[in-house]
Amino acid sequence: MIESWRWYGPDLDALSLPEIAQTGASGIVTALHEIAYGEIWPREAVAARRAQLEKAGFHWKVVESLPIHERIKRGEGDLGPLFANYRQSMANLAAEGVTTICYNFMPVLDWTRTDLAHPLPRGGSCLRFEAYRMAAFEIHMLGREAAEDAYDAPTRARAASWFQSASEGERDALLQAIMAGLPGAFDRYDIAGLRQQIALYDGIGPDEIRRNFKRFLDEVIPAAEDLGLRFAVHPDDPPRDILGLPRVVSDAEDIAWILTAHDSPANGLTLCTGSLGANPANDLPAIARRFADSIHFAHLRNVVKDADGSFEEAAHLEGDTDMVAVIAVLLEEEARRRALGRGDAAIPFRPDHGHVLLDDVDRAAFPGYPLIGRMRGLAELRGVIAALRAQGRADV
């Protein structure tokens, strides 16, 4: 398995490449966040980022993400130019040695949390999704029609109580936490702006999203095959509809649909144990085993779930997901690929959404992406991998 580290680039990330080098990771997972959605990533810009990483001693094999324009997700207007731009960006990435594109098809928002600094019992903080606070946001702050139908009576009652007692600062902090799920340097919305974005999806349900998703795959996967690229869809986070927007990458059956919508080795999965792990019905070792041959990239993190649908980021080996079992499946899949003589047998992975610990508090890192918390996670995952190999549970 290839130890990797997500980096937002020299203009956005609080961490420097020399600092990241001390974690032991060999690969950087990054993107050109400064380029607007739908625009071509120039080969010169891709080459400059690659050269910067290589000079610091890293390789760049995985892009996270090459964003999909919202109009493609909505199936809106003449999409030919957007698809052409996307394919040209793919070609420019492939020409500079990138092999894997991690992407998602979540409307408007990526990951969603209600608290960016939830205190931990022994110090530090984590990301948390609190069901009643999300309900308060949707019902009382956003005023979304039909939002009450998405929550049970106890959750609605707690939401109303919180909203009535919350200060303006607390309500603004909730909005900012939810907006933090927008990637990179993308503009954040106020309440009016978010309502406007959601309204653009009026009348678009799961069937329409899947139809638009399939069109995207049909437009890009043949090009990926020609370029030697592999696509790896990231699951919904959390794995449920958010703000009334349909999400279609939340469980095993969703993944199966995507992989068969355009049947190709280039059409694959980013196994995110945290995103999928927030759904109590998802068995992560079973999902990893079922789709092992389609896993092109992995995000390894853990969550602890509550009965009301709330969850928070756990230490990598302490949550509800059996991380040892998941890693064992990935190692077995790598061994299978090596036995077939595949040159791309190794699966890149990265520790995801670490806790804010110690000196992390004083850094202005992206939420979920501190230095020490992720380094702790990487060290723990590295230990699991070493132990499994030593026990002979993977053919190395």
Side-chain angles (χ1 to χ4, degrees):
M1 295 178 70
I2 302 172
E3 296 183 4
S4 305
W5 189 273
R6 189 175 193 182
W7 187 56
Y8 283 90
D11 298 327
L12 297 174
D13 207 302
L15 304 181
S16 69
L17 292 174
E19 288 174 314
I20 296 171
Q22 296 177 55
T23 70
S26 60
I28 289 291
V29 176
T30 190
L32 304 184
H33 294 290
E34 65 274 16
I35 298 178
Y37 287 17
E39 298 297 319
I40 293 172
W41 287 15
R43 181 170 177 180
E44 296 77 11
V46 176
R49 178 63 58 85
R50 176 186 58 77
Q52 180 185 29
L53 297 175
E54 289 181 352
K55 183 178 180 180
F58 297 99
H59 59 76
W60 182 22
K61 298 297 183 183
V62 181
V63 162
E64 186 178 351
S65 298
L66 181 58
I68 301 169
H69 199 282
E70 292 295 312
R71 282 180 48 214
I72 291 176
K73 298 175 188 178
R74 296 193 298 266
E76 175 185 297
D78 178 11
L79 298 178
L82 286 176
F83 283 124
N85 286 359
Y86 201 95
R87 288 190 293 266
Q88 185 59 58
S89 295
M90 291 167 53
N92 294 341
L93 287 163
E96 294 299 327
V98 170
T99 61
T100 303
I101 295 176
C102 172
Y103 73 101
N104 74 73
F105 215 80
M106 289 180 268
V108 182
L109 295 176
D110 285 5
W111 56 269
T112 304
R113 301 292 186 274
T114 59
D115 193 337
L116 303 181
H118 181 72
L120 295 165
R122 300 186 67 181
S125 65
C126 69
L127 302 178
R128 180 170 174 82
F129 179 91
E130 193 76 70
Y132 78 85
R133 293 179 71 190
M134 192 69 201
F137 180 79
E138 292 202 63
I139 296 169
H140 300 287
M141 292 175 60
L142 196 62
R144 184 176 71 82
E145 294 183 10
E148 292 197 10
D149 296 338
Y151 299 94
D152 61 24
T155 301
R156 294 196 301 270
R158 289 191 70 187
S161 177
W162 179 87
F163 179 75
Q164 290 166 6
S165 63
S167 67
E168 182 177 348
E170 288 171 327
R171 295 176 188 178
D172 185 62
L174 177 57
L175 172 63
Q176 297 309 313
I178 292 169
M179 287 300 97
L182 288 166
F186 201 93
D187 291 337
R188 273 49 178 162
Y189 304 120
D190 57 14
I191 291 291
L194 184 57
R195 286 190 186 119
Q196 184 178 40
Q197 292 299 312
I198 293 171
L200 295 174
Y201 281 86
D202 284 351
I204 299 177
D207 291 342
E208 289 77 18
I209 291 287
R210 288 191 181 94
R211 182 175 64 243
N212 299 336
F213 199 159
K214 176 170 171 49
R215 181 180 176 187
F216 169 77
L217 294 173
D218 291 342
E219 291 277 358
V220 303
I221 295 301
E225 294 170 345
D226 292 341
L227 294 165
L229 290 170
R230 294 181 183 269
F231 271 66
V233 65
H234 188 284
D236 302 327
D237 185 11
R240 48 165 286 183
D241 291 354
I242 290 289
L243 306 176
L245 300 167
R247 291 184 160 189
V248 295
V249 197
S250 293
D251 57 27
E253 297 316 307
D254 287 342
I255 295 167
W257 180 88
I258 292 162
L259 298 180
T260 57
H262 192 114
D263 189 10
S264 167
N267 180 22
L269 172 67
T270 293
L271 180 70
C272 182
T273 55
S275 297
L276 291 169
N279 183 343
N282 285 338
D283 181 331
L284 266 298
I287 288 174
R289 189 169 299 281
R290 177 176 175 181
F291 301 111
D293 62 348
S294 296
I295 296 173
H296 301 324
F297 182 37
H299 291 178
L300 299 182
R301 63 180 173 90
N302 224 321
V303 296
V304 174
K305 300 181 288 293
D306 298 335
D308 67 351
S310 302
F311 63 90
E312 67 184 52
E313 310 284 353
H316 284 71
L317 303 184
E318 296 178 9
D320 295 338
T321 292
D322 186 343
M323 192 66 70
V324 175
V326 170
I327 292 174
V329 172
L330 297 178
L331 290 172
E332 290 166 7
E333 173 59 19
E334 286 188 336
R336 185 192 71 82
R337 295 178 187 183
R338 285 194 298 272
L340 294 174
R342 285 178 51 175
D344 62 345
I347 298 171
F349 77 96
R350 65 173 180 83
D352 197 12
H353 287 195
H355 288 169
V356 174
L357 304 173
L358 303 171
D359 292 346
D360 285 335
V361 175
D362 298 322
R363 292 176 178 267
F366 276 89
Y369 293 95
L371 172 60
I372 296 172
R374 281 189 291 167
M375 186 166 64
R376 172 189 171 181
L378 179 59
E380 292 176 341
L381 298 170
R382 183 184 294 142
V384 170
I385 293 167
L388 289 173
R389 284 175 170 161
Q391 292 175 2
R393 291 181 63 179
D395 178 14
V396 297

